[in-house]
Amino acid sequence: MSKRPTSRDVARVAGVSQSTVSLVLAGKAEGRVKPETGQAVREAARRLGYRPNLAARNLRLGRTRTVLLVVPTLASPFFGAVYTGAARVAGERGFGIVVHPWNDDAVPARSPVDIEAIDGVLASSIGGGVTGLGELPLVVMDNDPAGRAPSVNFDVAGGMRSIHRHLTSLGHQRIGHVAAAVDTWTFRARGEVLHPVACRAAAAIDVAAGRAAALELLDRQDRPSALVCDDDLIAAGAYKAARQLGLEVPGDLSVTGFDDILVATAVEPELTTIRLPAEELGARAMSALLERLDGHTPPDVSLPGELIVRGSTAPPRRA
């Protein structure tokens, strides 16, 4: 069996010192090692098939190089994209990720997570906050930026304003808001934009609940000509409600969603919605957490959404 290459072998092939190899492969070369030297080290490591001995390095640093990603559910494709972005950045620095669903009833005693094996925490869309994890470095995503931890958020209020401008530019004056019945910052921020101008019904984030809440609004004497839904799954429920009542989307009823997940293009007509860069959210949050682990204080970040106009919105049909 051939001998496993070492950092000394990489240094010899690249013509540099072992300390330079360590800086480059640990992602700490910027400003300390010339770019061409860093490239030579990475090329030598690739040619030799070198893999760092993470166990030995972690022992020296007192780290496990493992991050906990906390999300409210594993069922949503949105959080899969968050994980993909976070894992890409983590992998570039030799970190691994443990994903754990967390709800308001979660406590450490009932959690399989061993906090002694975790270096830091990323928490996405957690309403009650993550408790019981000691003083671990924390970065929050899609959470109240007024908290004590650094945050990477979407500009959800700006996204909702874009939807409202789009609908009013089409001529809609009676707007209904099918709001997510989830008490988190991201949904409160969306609701605050529409509160002065829309009638409201609440729904869990699923198709059946969205249908029931939409039916409640469409049963009003002053029936809305447009429904703004806090989530694309809720919007799919609004489509079902319209079909049940014999209403045409968008001729009789315009419908909008939020997030631009797969269902937005699975429904017919395709859904006008706000596209949120979920993968970028995970990547930026992981970068911020790694900054914290390196002893720095990262700034808060707000990522804009993009209004995607599709076939579910049109001017209201005149009486």
Side-chain angles (χ1 to χ4, degrees), residues 3 34 70 72 75 79-80 83 137 156-158 168 197-198 209 216-217 225 227 236 238 264 266 286 292 305 307:
K3 177 186 173 184
K34 293 180 180 179
V70 178
F79 295 111
Y83 167 80
V156 290
T168 55
V197 297
E216 178 183 334
L217 290 175
S225 62
L227 291 182
M286 179 58 73
R292 290 206 70 184
L307 176 65

Side-chain angles (χ1 to χ4, degrees), residues 3-4 6 26 45 100 117 133 138 140-141 150 156 173-175 183 190 202 274 295:
K3 177 186 173 184
R4 176 175 175 173
T6 66
H100 182 53
L133 294 177
L138 170 68
V140 297
M141 297 174 277
V156 290
Q173 297 179 348
R174 299 190 311 277
I175 296 173
D183 187 22
R190 301 174 203 201
I274 294 294

Side-chain angles (χ1 to χ4, degrees), residues 142-221:
D142 211 22
N143 271 66
D144 191 345
R148 288 179 292 178
S151 65
V152 181
N153 285 323
F154 296 125
D155 181 11
V156 290
M160 196 58 87
R161 282 191 289 269
S162 294
I163 286 177
H164 182 251
R165 284 194 299 267
H166 171 63
L167 291 174
T168 55
S169 72
L170 292 173
H172 291 280
Q173 297 179 348
R174 299 190 311 277
I175 296 173
H177 180 202
V178 189
V182 181
D183 187 22
T184 61
W185 167 82
T186 184
F187 293 118
R188 290 194 297 270
R190 301 174 203 201
E192 287 168 3
V193 172
L194 292 179
H195 177 70
V197 297
C199 53
R200 181 180 183 276
I205 302 177
D206 64 55
V207 175
R211 172 183 164 277
L215 285 172
E216 178 183 334
L217 290 175
L218 295 175
D219 191 44
R220 294 169 57 101
Q221 186 171 3

Side-chain angles (χ1 to χ4, degrees), residues 65-318:
R65 301 187 77 81
T66 301
V67 169
L68 177 66
L69 171 60
V70 178
V71 296
T73 176
L74 297 178
S76 170
F78 174 85
F79 295 111
V82 170
Y83 167 80
T84 298
R88 173 170 50 79
V89 173
E92 292 170 357
R93 286 283 300 273
F95 277 74
I97 298 179
V98 174
V99 183
H100 182 53
W102 192 283
N103 56 49
D104 290 340
D105 296 326
V107 295
R110 295 200 295 269
S111 169
V113 178
D114 178 4
I115 64 172
E116 298 297 327
I118 299 298
D119 285 337
V121 180
L122 294 177
S124 180
S125 313
I126 305 299
V130 180
T131 58
L133 294 177
E135 300 299 320
L136 286 171
L138 170 68
V139 171
V140 297
M141 297 174 277
D142 211 22
N143 271 66
D144 191 345
R148 288 179 292 178
S151 65
V152 181
N153 285 323
F154 296 125
D155 181 11
V156 290
M160 196 58 87
R161 282 191 289 269
S162 294
I163 286 177
H164 182 251
R165 284 194 299 267
H166 171 63
L167 291 174
T168 55
S169 72
L170 292 173
H172 291 280
Q173 297 179 348
R174 299 190 311 277
I175 296 173
H177 180 202
V178 189
V182 181
D183 187 22
T184 61
W185 167 82
T186 184
F187 293 118
R188 290 194 297 270
R190 301 174 203 201
E192 287 168 3
V193 172
L194 292 179
H195 177 70
V197 297
C199 53
R200 181 180 183 276
I205 302 177
D206 64 55
V207 175
R211 172 183 164 277
L215 285 172
E216 178 183 334
L217 290 175
L218 295 175
D219 191 44
R220 294 169 57 101
Q221 186 171 3
D222 56 341
R223 188 177 73 201
S225 62
L227 291 182
V228 177
C229 302
D230 270 356
D231 180 271
D232 294 342
L233 287 174
I234 293 175
Y239 274 54
K240 284 181 170 288
R243 187 175 300 112
Q244 179 177 332
L245 296 175
L247 301 176
E248 178 188 342
V249 176
D252 300 309
L253 179 70
S254 287
V255 178
T256 68
F258 218 99
D259 289 349
D260 197 30
I261 59 176
L262 290 175
V263 71
T265 53
V267 294
E268 186 62 41
E270 294 186 356
L271 182 65
T272 294
T273 188
I274 294 294
R275 177 177 295 164
L276 299 179
E279 189 169 327
E280 183 181 357
L281 180 81
R284 296 287 290 272
M286 179 58 73
S287 295
L289 182 57
L290 293 176
E291 282 190 57
R292 290 206 70 184
L293 293 176
D294 286 339
H296 307 299
T297 302
D300 290 342
V301 175
S302 180
L303 302 176
E306 178 185 3
L307 176 65
I308 306 297
V309 178
R310 299 191 178 105
S312 68
T313 49
R317 183 171 289 167
R318 296 187 180 276

